[in-house]
Amino acid sequence: MARPLSRRSLLQAATAAVAVPALSQAATGRAAAAPATAAAGAPSAWSVRPFGLEDVSLGQGVFADKRKLMLDHARGYDVNRLLQVFRANAGLATGGAVAPGGWEGLDGEANGNLRGHYTGHFLTMLAQAYRGTKEQVFADRIATMVGALTEVRAALRRDPVVLGIAGKFGAAADQVRGSHQYVDLPATVLGGAPAITFSLWVRPTHDADWARIFDFGNDTSRYLYLAARNQAGVPRFAITTSGAGGEQGLNGTAALPLNQWSHLAVTIAGGTGTLYVDGTAVARNTAMSLSPAALGTLKNNWLGRSNYSADPVFAGAFEDFNMFSRALTAAEITELQSRRTADASTGRGDLASYAFDETAGGAFADASGRNLTATLRRTWGGPSHPGFLAAYPETQFIDLESRTTSDYTKVWAPYYTAHKILRGLLDAYTATGDDRALDLASGMCDWMYSRLSKLPEATLQRMWGIFSSGEFGGIVEAICDLHTITGKAQHLALAKLFDLDRLIDACAANTDVLDGLHANQHIPIFTGYVRLYDETGEERYLTSAKNFWDMVVPHRMYGIGGTSTQEFWKARDVIAGTISPTTAETCCAYNMLKLSRTLFFHEQDPKYMDYYERALYNQVLGSKQDKPDAEKPLVTYFIGLTPGHVRDYTPKQGTTCCEGTGMESATKYQDSVYFAKSDDSALYVNLYSPSTLTWAEKGVTVTQTTRFPQEQGSTLTLGGGRASFTLRLRVPFWATAGFRVTVNGRAVPGTPKPGSYVDVSRSWRAGDTVRIAMPFRTRVEKALDDPSLQTLFHGPVNLVARDSATEYLKVGLYRDAGLSGDLSASLTPVPGKPLHFTLGGREWVPFAEGTEDPTHAYFRRAEPHVVFGGRDSGVANPAKTDGTTLLDEIWAGAPFGNKGALVARVRFVVNAWVTAGRLSRTDGDKVVATAAAASYQP
């Protein structure tokens, strides 16, 4: 009897579809019909289901080694740094935490307009780490982050509250950078005074130009302001009735020190204005004909905000702000350096006086006697719905709704960022059962629905089609996963609001429209559409995703499984023509794996798992540097495939999308090793990786012992009780040298076909042992648009040459080729270094090794002479106009059963080339004679 499922179990089953995926070539096999009911809470459309990360433990090997490095980072990084941007946006104290920087801060690319995304990635990493290891430290860190985000949302829901901190003499009001808060003073604050003094203490915490300490004005024509820094980096006071061109100003002589208190005063009287800094007059203007009386009553009287919308909000603290209807003397201003205004001979300002410790919530009491209470406000007002949660104002989402062109300095993928936060919260709930995380996730979707459901269809289609700004990542998948537990109709309706119809319809019709598209903006869309198919049964979603996958693999795929160049796709089948230092964005591999995995749940075509193995064992493993670092995840953004490329494991300015997905990848390596048929009648072994599966439904364990890919095979040992099921073992597409299976020492009959699954059905019992042998062959894969540009594989392992040259290496491989077509004889193993070889005087190593050595993933194939078995015929190797050589065409017929079959192939091809005029008869006879005289390995 099926056990009842909690909502958390349902989410674990649904979110199991978000692991690391795979790619392949020539494969066979079709999916079984979807069962009427789903096992273990998986969607009923799935004919197979994954196991949870807690059900599969990693054994010793390359995956465990790479994961350990990332787990150390997960334990060591201060999560308060991630939370800083959320707390600041909500106007909460940040405890002195420093934002991570790069994309996750206010000073990085595009002023951190993507901030918040990295927190979502980090939550997902912690959740996966906890599920995979059960170390309490990860659960504790999740609880800290979820608790903080709960506080952030509560703060965003209410009016802002002043942050009181220790000031120069008493309490001060702190304006955390990124809070977008300011103090709003009443309209009559200037009082029409013909003479005036402004006096206050400030402690700036950032050196942004033109951040206003105060700005009183109507717009950008009539105003007066005091800026902490002008374009020269010094304080500036100015007053105007005719815009910037008519400003009468006072400029300081030195920058205000950061994180220190400075006293500023400005006096205007009788046509003379003076600026004082720390009691010293630093500027005087005797031609200042304007005074507050000339401005009249102004509507925008602000501390910390400018009437110029592009200017930054002041970051720092205020204390003891006073306005007098006269010009204080130099002596009075000197006195204010050592005591509060209330305790000085001046007394408190008669126009306005704010001590900032005299506050209730967000209201500041005025002690001038005029009752001009000031109010703390947000520049953007506040969220449109109580479920809003972000590390920046809602303004990016609002701007996107009217935006027609991309400008990531203004709007940078707000729904992509929302997705990462949503996904992280769902994963946190899945891992720990913290209902606060689920509540936050559900609230975010309620908020999104409240915005998007009101927009016309044409607006939504325009939004989602805008490069970068309209990117929404895998949000549809996350919303569907949430829907499996909330059951709220509006959540499913929300998922459908992200339909990008022109892309769905084109791919459903199998029309390739990918040329010119931003790759990672679109790959995760389709994983979401597959989940929408699961929830709605609408075939176009699944059909479009399957056709889309086929447009990428192999037509836009590099040998390592990656795709894209400079983040974009080019024309179909253009591989050599797109190789650059910025090929193979790591996020693309992450999302192609996820899509491959999700498609496999519906149709068990081995090509999906063949691809998964390719991208996982090469690009994904190779994207993580083999080096510990608690501060950085050390993951590539791009992996350049140009000659002599050196991988950059600290890309751009840090905290990039690819570092985020890299953290996730390294904590879920085990997620696709095993799948179960939905009715538990079969177990799929997709990857050969040291691991132990606990299959609770069957009451058995499966322990896989292997050093794969160093070992060319694997051993599976059954434990637990007796159980009947079919073991489905993946036969990789590259396993052309044979795939042999024994059970308890007895051979399983048959000749498994590469690119398929082999079935072993029996009643299993503890101690049963399955051994798999799959000898590796060495082969090349050719660029689709240039067959002479090739990449080398040994079994599943992409081999790269270590060489600092910046031109393609010229490599010959046919000299010692065996009858099977195996090129292994060209490689000389390096003693004591598995999967390291020498060839052409260079060392060739697995792509997965995360070093900073210059490498060559692609090389130029050079076979100048026709050589067989080490014998040189003396004949130049001719080529067709497309680059295919005589030797290429001969060896394309491999494998050969014996030497006679090879010689027959040589004779056949030679005759065809002679007839076509590409080879003389004399040279052709030499080629045939050399092939007949040579000796060959099998």
Side-chain angles (χ1 to χ4, degrees):
M1 176 180 291
R3 58 176 183 253
L5 292 163
S6 67
R7 59 184 183 171
R8 181 177 165 213
S9 298
L10 286 167
L11 185 58
Q12 285 178 330
T15 57
V18 291
V20 206
L23 265 165
S24 137
Q25 290 174 305
T28 61
R30 292 291 178 266
T37 59
S44 61
W46 293 1
S47 43
V48 299
R49 61 175 177 84
F51 291 94
L53 295 175
E54 58 277 353
D55 298 326
V56 183
S57 61
L58 287 178
Q60 289 187 340
V62 62
F63 290 112
D65 291 344
K66 295 266 190 179
R67 184 179 73 168
K68 180 182 183 302
L69 294 170
M70 196 61 78
L71 292 179
D72 289 344
H73 174 65
R75 295 185 193 96
Y77 193 82
D78 181 4
V79 296
N80 287 299
R81 296 188 62 190
L82 299 167
L83 296 166
Q84 193 271 354
V85 291
F86 284 90
R87 287 170 167 152
N89 183 54
L92 296 174
T94 61
V98 178
W103 288 10
E104 195 65 28
L106 289 166
D107 295 312
E109 192 169 349
N111 299 315
N113 279 348
L114 212 65
R115 60 189 182 277
H117 82 113
Y118 206 69
T119 296
H121 285 299
F122 207 91
L123 267 174
T124 292
M125 173 179 67
L126 291 175
Q128 293 174 168
Y130 180 60
R131 292 181 68 183
T133 68
K134 289 304 176 187
E135 289 185 33
Q136 187 60 34
V137 63
F138 300 124
D140 292 343
R141 307 197 102 205
I142 291 170
T144 296
M145 296 180 74
V146 170
L149 293 175
T150 301
E151 293 172 359
V152 163
R153 187 180 68 175
L156 288 169
R157 286 174 165 177
R158 63 176 183 255
D159 290 335
V161 176
V162 66
L163 279 179
I165 62 168
K168 178 70 175 179
F169 301 115
D174 194 22
Q175 295 286 83
V176 176
R177 185 161 181 258
S179 66
H180 304 279
Q181 295 180 165
Y182 66 102
V183 182
D184 189 14
L185 280 63
T188 58
V189 67
L190 288 176
I196 198 164
T197 296
F198 300 94
S199 169
L200 80 164
W201 287 90
V202 295
R203 191 193 67 179
T205 56
H206 192 257
D207 60 359
D209 292 347
W210 296 117
R212 302 294 204 264
I213 295 171
F214 61 74
D215 191 339
F216 300 164
N218 274 348
D219 43 38
T220 57
S221 60
R222 302 173 66 85
Y223 55 79
L224 64 78
Y225 68 81
L226 176 61
R229 294 170 61 94
N230 62 6
Q231 75 279 2
V234 297
R236 174 175 171 79
F237 174 84
I239 183 170
T240 182
T241 57
S242 56
E247 287 187 1
Q248 298 176 5
L250 299 161
N251 292 322
T253 55
L256 297 181
L258 297 182
N259 302 306
Q260 294 182 29
W261 287 102
S262 297
H263 183 262
L264 297 175
V266 176
T267 63
I268 301 175
T272 297
T274 307
L275 171 65
Y276 296 84
V277 177
D278 292 329
T280 300
V282 297
R284 179 169 283 109
N285 184 346
T286 58
M288 191 168 276
S289 60
L290 296 175
S291 69
L295 298 179
T297 301
L298 303 172
K299 63 180 181 181
N300 300 330
N301 300 289
W302 296 330
L303 297 183
R305 182 180 180 185
S306 171
N307 274 284
Y308 286 85
S309 60
D311 288 341
V313 177
F314 177 77
F318 302 103
E319 185 183 3
D320 204 24
F321 176 57
N322 286 267
M323 296 168 55
F324 300 85
S325 59
R326 64 184 180 89
L328 297 186
T329 66
E332 287 174 318
I333 290 173
T334 299
E335 183 186 3
L336 296 179
Q337 307 310 298
S338 59
R339 57 178 60 96
R340 297 168 62 134
T341 308
D343 301 325
S345 61
T346 60
R348 305 184 86 158
D350 61 324
L351 290 178
S353 179
Y354 302 101
F356 295 118
D357 53 354
E358 299 165 348
T359 178
F364 300 93
D366 169 35
S368 70
R370 299 177 68 204
N371 295 318
L372 300 178
T373 301
T375 306
L376 187 65
R377 303 190 191 281
R378 297 189 184 97
T379 60
W380 53 287
S384 63
H385 185 280
F388 175 75
L389 177 63
Y392 46 65
E394 199 173 353
T395 48
Q396 278 209 48
F397 299 91
I398 296 169
D399 187 326
L400 178 60
E401 293 168 9
S402 59
R403 179 163 292 278
T404 58
T405 59
S406 175
D407 183 351
Y408 83 135
T409 66
K410 300 282 195 313
V411 178
W412 192 4
Y415 285 97
Y416 170 94
T417 306
H419 163 243
K420 297 307 175 186
I421 299 168
L422 175 63
R423 179 80 267 163
L425 290 168
L426 287 174
D427 291 337
Y429 172 71
T430 301
T432 67
D434 191 332
D435 284 333
R436 296 175 302 173
L438 181 61
D439 182 59
L440 290 169
S442 184
M444 286 186 71
C445 288
D446 293 344
W447 156 71
M448 283 187 275
Y449 182 76
S450 74
R451 287 209 70 85
L452 297 178
S453 63
K454 295 180 176 67
L455 298 179
E457 178 66 22
T459 299
L460 293 171
Q461 295 299 321
R462 172 179 48 76
M463 285 166 56
W464 308 143
I466 300 174
F467 159 63
S468 187
S469 298
E471 183 175 357
F472 56 80
I475 201 166
V476 175
E477 174 193 47
I479 296 168
C480 288
D481 289 347
L482 176 66
H483 175 254
T484 64
I485 52 171
T486 67
K488 292 177 71 169
Q490 74 177 37
H491 288 165
L492 185 57
L494 171 63
K496 292 177 65 64
L497 293 175
F498 290 91
D499 282 5
L500 182 54
D501 287 333
R502 59 181 172 78
L503 182 64
I504 297 173
D505 293 343
C507 290
N510 207 19
T511 302
D512 191 329
V513 294
L514 303 191
D515 187 7
L517 291 184
H518 182 235
N520 197 53
Q521 182 167 345
H522 296 89
I523 299 169
I525 288 178
F526 284 97
T527 303
Y529 292 157
V530 177
R531 288 289 289 116
L532 256 180
Y533 165 76
D534 297 338
E535 299 296 306
T536 66
E538 293 185 35
E539 288 286 346
R540 75 178 189 129
Y541 291 126
L542 181 60
T543 301
S544 65
K546 290 195 293 187
N547 289 342
F548 167 82
W549 191 94
D550 287 329
M551 294 171 193
V552 177
V553 184
H555 302 290
R556 294 176 172 87
M557 182 194 77
Y558 303 106
I560 58 173
T563 186
S564 81
T565 185
Q566 293 181 316
E567 299 192 6
F568 290 82
W569 281 310
K570 303 301 182 184
R572 186 182 180 103
D573 295 331
V574 178
I575 301 299
T578 62
I579 288 177
S580 77
T582 55
T583 40
E585 183 184 356
T586 305
C587 275
C588 292
Y590 164 91
N591 280 308
M592 281 300 296
L593 286 177
K594 186 180 287 189
L595 176 59
S596 303
R597 183 176 193 262
T598 306
L599 288 171
F600 190 87
F601 295 147
H602 298 81
E603 180 179 356
Q604 287 74 64
D605 191 325
K607 70 182 182 181
Y608 296 127
M609 285 296 109
D610 274 339
Y611 171 81
Y612 198 96
E613 178 187 70
R614 175 195 294 267
L616 178 63
Y617 275 85
N618 294 293
Q619 176 163 357
V620 171
L621 278 181
S623 68
K624 174 72 186 86
Q625 188 172 15
D626 299 329
K627 176 182 174 182
D629 195 317
E631 179 67 17
K632 304 179 186 69
L634 299 181
V635 175
T636 58
Y637 191 102
F638 298 112
I639 293 188
L641 300 176
T642 49
H645 179 77
V646 177
R647 292 176 209 169
D648 178 6
Y649 298 98
T650 54
K652 291 182 171 280
Q653 296 170 318
T655 59
T656 63
C657 53
C658 292
E659 288 170 290
T661 55
M663 293 189 300
E664 294 184 32
S665 291
T667 49
K668 62 175 183 178
Y669 289 134
Q670 73 270 38
D671 75 339
S672 295
V673 178
Y674 309 99
F675 295 153
K677 196 170 179 181
S678 55
D679 61 2
D680 285 327
S681 64
L683 177 69
Y684 285 76
V685 180
N686 302 308
L687 300 173
Y688 298 101
S689 173
S691 55
T692 298
L693 165 68
T694 300
W695 191 0
E697 289 77 8
K698 287 291 188 180
V700 301
T701 61
V702 179
T703 299
Q704 189 173 173
T705 306
T706 181
R707 291 180 296 108
F708 188 92
Q710 296 179 13
E711 177 183 350
Q712 300 180 20
S714 187
T715 299
L716 280 66
T717 304
L718 278 291
R722 299 179 69 98
S724 296
F725 59 89
T726 298
L727 192 64
R728 304 208 73 198
L729 304 169
R730 186 175 65 88
V731 185
F733 77 96
W734 48 261
T736 57
F739 187 93
R740 297 181 293 279
V741 181
T742 64
V743 177
N744 298 331
R746 300 174 68 89
V748 174
T751 304
K753 182 180 179 181
S756 69
Y757 279 82
V758 61
D759 291 355
V760 183
S761 301
R762 60 181 279 134
S763 178
W764 301 92
R765 59 185 179 182
D768 282 347
T769 301
V770 179
R771 288 192 171 87
I772 303 155
M774 44 186 143
F776 293 180
R777 280 182 172 158
T778 303
R779 70 186 191 284
V780 295
E781 291 186 2
K782 303 174 182 179
L784 298 175
D785 52 332
D786 182 352
S788 72
L789 196 67
Q790 302 177 1
T791 187
L792 189 65
F793 282 85
H794 187 60
V797 178
N798 183 237
L799 296 175
V800 296
R802 285 182 176 161
D803 195 297
S804 60
T806 56
E807 295 182 354
Y808 286 115
L809 303 178
K810 294 182 178 180
V811 177
L813 293 166
Y814 285 137
R815 171 177 291 274
D816 297 306
L819 293 173
S820 65
D822 187 1
L823 302 174
S824 298
S826 299
L827 304 177
T828 302
V830 177
K833 298 175 72 174
L835 295 176
H836 283 232
F837 305 91
T838 57
L839 169 64
R842 301 177 184 89
E843 187 173 21
W844 294 69
V845 304
F847 188 95
E849 292 191 358
T851 72
E852 293 177 295
D853 296 301
T855 59
H856 292 246
Y858 279 87
F859 55 87
R860 189 68 67 186
R861 189 66 175 271
E863 307 282 356
H865 290 88
V866 178
V867 181
F868 293 102
R871 287 177 174 261
D872 192 333
S873 68
V875 176
N877 184 26
K880 295 180 179 179
T881 56
D882 67 358
T884 302
T885 69
L886 175 69
L887 283 173
D888 289 334
E889 195 159 312
I890 290 170
W891 285 105
F896 302 106
N898 51 50
K899 177 178 175 178
L902 169 59
V903 174
R905 171 72 177 182
V906 172
R907 184 175 290 109
F908 172 80
V909 173
V910 162
N911 287 339
W913 281 55
V914 169
T915 300
R918 299 190 184 97
L919 186 68
S920 70
R921 172 51 65 188
T922 300
D923 284 346
D925 290 342
K926 290 179 182 178
V927 169
V928 174
T930 302
S935 299
Y936 303 93
Q937 297 286 337

